[in-house]
Amino acid sequence: KGEKLLRENKIPAAIKVLTQAAKSLPRDWRAYNYLGMAYQRQGDYKKSKTQYNKALALVDKNPELVNQVNVVRYNLGRLYLDHGHPALAAEKFAAYTMQAEDSYEGFFWRGTAEYLTGNKEQQPELLERAEVSLRRAIELNVDSVPAFNRLGMVQMVRDNFVDARASFLRAHELDKHFAPAILNLAIVHESFPY
């Protein structure tokens, strides 16, 4: 019932039901995961993180849950990314994509977190990893405008203007009205006119 309330965006009611579910079923990782999602939607970073970590802690007690609980790593990665902790997000997405090898979303957000961390902390190896992750995302979804645009951003930061222009052009070909790609094409043209 709590999951249904969450899908219906009835967050306070979902939190109430899911809190009771977590108390009644303390070994059920799903209750903590959904409760973490509810708190995340409510904007309560601390409580959301606590619930996700409770779900992950159950793996320590029952290693057979490791594959089932993997989605919690994705959710925690999004939480970290949304709250300005891209390095922590990159770790969670890397762990998630090790098991979810065909997850476009996992590789897209992993590449995004790696890009943000590598760019902020000037770590070329993270920018390289970001490019690899985003290329994998594109393999999984060849029509992803955001992935081509993000890949171009990574390439531009790495001073690879030729490939950056090609990535932005591909994003623009896929969606002529995608403003970030249009802006990035102008930026790369200013930086590297030929």
Side-chain angles (χ1 to χ4, degrees), residues 29 31 34 50-51 54 66 72 88 91 124 131 147 149 151 161 170 178 190:
W29 67 272
Y34 287 124
T50 298
Q51 297 307 313
K54 284 181 181 180
V66 72
V72 180
L88 293 172
E91 290 175 20
E131 188 163 344
N149 187 65
L151 176 61
F161 294 106
R170 182 66 183 134
F178 189 68
E190 265 308 299

Side-chain angles (χ1 to χ4, degrees), residues 58-93:
L58 291 174
V59 174
D60 295 336
K61 296 174 184 169
N62 186 356
E64 293 174 7
L65 292 176
V66 72
N67 291 328
Q68 294 174 15
V69 178
N70 195 36
V71 68
V72 180
R73 290 182 185 89
Y74 176 87
N75 291 340
L76 194 51
R78 287 300 308 267
L79 179 71
Y80 285 142
L81 196 56
D82 292 347
H83 287 273
H85 304 289
L88 293 172
E91 290 175 20
K92 293 302 175 189
F93 289 128

Side-chain angles (χ1 to χ4, degrees), residues 104 134-149 167 170-171 173-175:
Y104 160 78
L134 290 165
R135 286 187 184 283
R136 178 67 179 135
I138 290 167
E139 286 175 16
L140 295 166
N141 182 354
V142 296
D143 293 328
S144 174
V145 175
F148 275 107
N149 187 65
S167 295
R170 182 66 183 134
E173 288 169 6
L174 291 166
D175 183 351

Side-chain angles (χ1 to χ4, degrees), residues 1-11 13-14 17:
K1 185 176 178 180
E3 179 185 1
K4 182 178 184 274
L5 290 167
L6 190 59
R7 273 187 272 130
E8 294 171 353
N9 209 29
K10 297 177 181 175
I11 305 305
V17 169

Side-chain angles (χ1 to χ4, degrees), residues 147-158:
F148 275 107
N149 187 65
R150 189 66 43 87
L151 176 61
M153 292 168 66
V154 171
Q155 292 163 330
M156 195 164 52
V157 169
R158 296 183 75 203

